[in-house]
Amino acid sequence: MNIKKDVIELVNKSEKEVKAEFEKINEICEYNTLKVLQAFQNNNISEVHFNETTGYGYNDLGREAIENIYSEIFNVEDSLVRGQFISASHALNVTLFGLLRPGDTLLSISGKPYDTLDEVIGIRENPSSLKSFGVKYEQIDLINDDFDYAGIEEKLSSKKIKVVEIQRSRGYALRKSITLDKIEKAISLIKKVNKDVIIMIDNCYGEFTNKIEPSNIGADILVGSLIKNLGGGIAPNGAYVVGRKDLINLVAERLTLPGEGKEVGPTLGMNKKILQGLFFAPSVVASSLKTAVLTSKVMENLGYKVQPKWDEPRTDIVQTIEFGDREKLIKYCQGIQMGSPIDSGSLPIPGDMPGYDDQVIMAAGAFTQGSSIEFSCDGPLREPYVAFQQGGLTYEYGKLGLMRAVDNIID
Ligand SMILES: *Cc1c(COP(=O)(O)O)cnc(C)c1O
């Protein structure tokens, strides 16, 4: 790949420095692999579950087994794991419309939610938004990357809130991702003030980065993507919603139709891919975490500001690098693309994106379109020129891709 010798040496040296962190990731991976394996065995998964249904999709044994496995892994009453969800953005949309009614209020306590929800909620006007149906929205911003606990208590005591949304991962915001101990503290506070509030977690990028999930610490309903962590790079699309049985029923009847709910939904040959992806997921997430940790160390050694730092606890697979320089950000992303297995010959350039004020550069050489469990990197072209990097189906490829990108910014 024509990578400069000093770049290879730097990455190899940095790798030695982060070995202790890799040991922790290995342990989490082993634990989550055990969780997955046990759920497969408890549900007696066999070849029959790989079969597909078509049409209405009644009596799909594989689909039912997959949803039982998800329920076991998340320790919840019920699950909806479907290819009829395009991805997590769609599942978040269906979940919010399933839970909220005209006059209800949705409260986000982790600042502005992920960009694709702007028009769903009505933060940006859209005639199909929740707002257009009379659902109200309020937001409490984070303070120093932690919840505004006093603000949350005040709001919940003074106003009737139906759903609280917490976004675990930073998404494309400059804030830190929220660790599970903070989420647990917020959940107990909310339940103390009003036990009837529905707590919904946008769990994207978080699955299997820890030994537990937000559903283990009191969250009522979780939403995530199958083209991220739990799809393991194998699921071709889809999303999951897991949680309380009554809530999953509301979401299922919004995805399909009232009266049929979870009973319909043809799987069209996806069952094996969803199962196989879930089987690989703990290992793929571990590879992504190792790629992120190594990137953090290498870029810190080169003098860049990184978040999280290599030895900080992680709650998702996202790594940011602050370049402070337009050209460096572009060159780094182009290097990630050059190192990809797919489309390595394409050169990403900054372009306009719907929903963004600034131009954005996006590098992704992925088997599945938009799949960011695969090694990918992007950033808005504005101060302080931050790259958001995530994924890595295998650690070895993540390491090589990183070398390629670093080589591209060093002249
Ligand atoms: C990626 C992401 C989404 C959207 O997921 P898709 O599967 O890409 O639609 C929502 N929320 C967060 C925090 C994300 O990172």
Side-chain angles (χ1 to χ4, degrees), residues 288-299:
S288 299
L289 285 170
K290 287 178 189 171
T291 302
V293 166
L294 181 64
T295 301
S296 183
K297 187 70 186 173
V298 166
M299 300 314 281

Side-chain angles (χ1 to χ4, degrees), residues 162-389:
K162 178 74 168 289
V163 176
V164 165
E165 192 204 303
I166 299 174
Q167 185 185 308
R168 180 177 177 183
S169 177
R170 60 197 307 163
Y172 290 115
L174 282 176
R175 68 159 170 97
K176 287 187 184 178
S177 300
I178 307 171
T179 52
L180 291 178
D181 52 336
K182 288 175 185 159
I183 292 178
E184 184 169 21
K185 199 171 144 194
I187 291 175
S188 12
L189 172 70
I190 293 163
K191 296 273 167 176
K192 198 181 71 192
V193 183
N194 181 350
K195 64 171 179 32
D196 296 326
V197 173
I198 299 166
I199 300 177
M200 186 197 102
I201 311 279
D202 177 349
N203 203 33
C204 282
Y205 284 143
E207 304 91 351
F208 289 163
T209 58
N210 288 252
K211 288 184 182 176
I212 59 166
E213 300 294 334
S215 44
N216 294 108
I217 50 175
D220 297 301
I221 187 162
L222 275 57
V223 182
S225 184
L226 294 194
I227 54 172
K228 292 182 179 171
N229 301 21
L230 292 190
I234 307 278
N237 86 308
Y240 71 84
V241 186
V242 300
R244 245 167 60 191
K245 196 172 179 63
D246 59 326
L247 305 181
I248 295 301
N249 189 50
L250 287 169
V251 177
E253 300 218 317
R254 193 54 51 204
L255 174 67
T256 66
L257 62 153
E260 301 202 8
K262 282 183 65 175
E263 300 303 314
V264 290
T267 48
L268 310 171
M270 271 182 77
N271 286 341
K272 182 176 168 185
K273 289 176 180 169
I274 292 179
L275 285 164
Q276 206 166 8
L278 181 63
F279 178 73
F280 277 114
S283 168
V284 170
V285 170
S287 290
S288 299
L289 285 170
K290 287 178 189 171
T291 302
V293 166
L294 181 64
T295 301
S296 183
K297 187 70 186 173
V298 166
M299 300 314 281
E300 184 186 87
N301 283 342
L302 284 170
Y304 294 101
K305 236 163 98 182
V306 290
Q307 220 295 302
K309 292 194 179 302
W310 66 277
D311 56 352
E312 254 179 280
R314 286 175 191 256
T315 189
D316 66 6
I317 60 169
V318 180
Q319 178 66 45
T320 64
I321 309 144
E322 189 177 314
F323 286 99
D325 180 282
R326 183 188 157 90
E327 278 316 299
K328 286 246 158 65
L329 170 60
I330 293 173
K331 282 275 180 197
Y332 186 87
C333 290
Q334 290 177 340
I336 296 286
Q337 187 76 38
M338 289 155 71
S340 299
I342 313 294
D343 293 329
S344 61
S346 305
L347 192 70
I349 52 166
D352 294 318
M353 291 278 296
Y356 289 88
D357 296 333
D358 306 275
Q359 290 201 314
V360 180
I361 183 160
M362 298 192 146
F367 288 89
T368 298
Q369 186 187 105
S371 162
S372 42
I373 187 63
E374 302 186 47
F375 200 32
S376 51
C377 187
D378 30 55
L381 275 292
R382 62 165 177 252
E383 293 280 357
Y385 297 103
V386 174
F388 295 79
Q389 179 188 295

Side-chain angles (χ1 to χ4, degrees), residues 11 26 47 49 75 82 86 105 238 267 273 277 380:
V11 172
N26 288 343
E47 209 176 339
H49 297 112
N75 189 34
R82 301 291 168 112
I86 310 295
T105 300
T267 48
K273 289 176 180 169

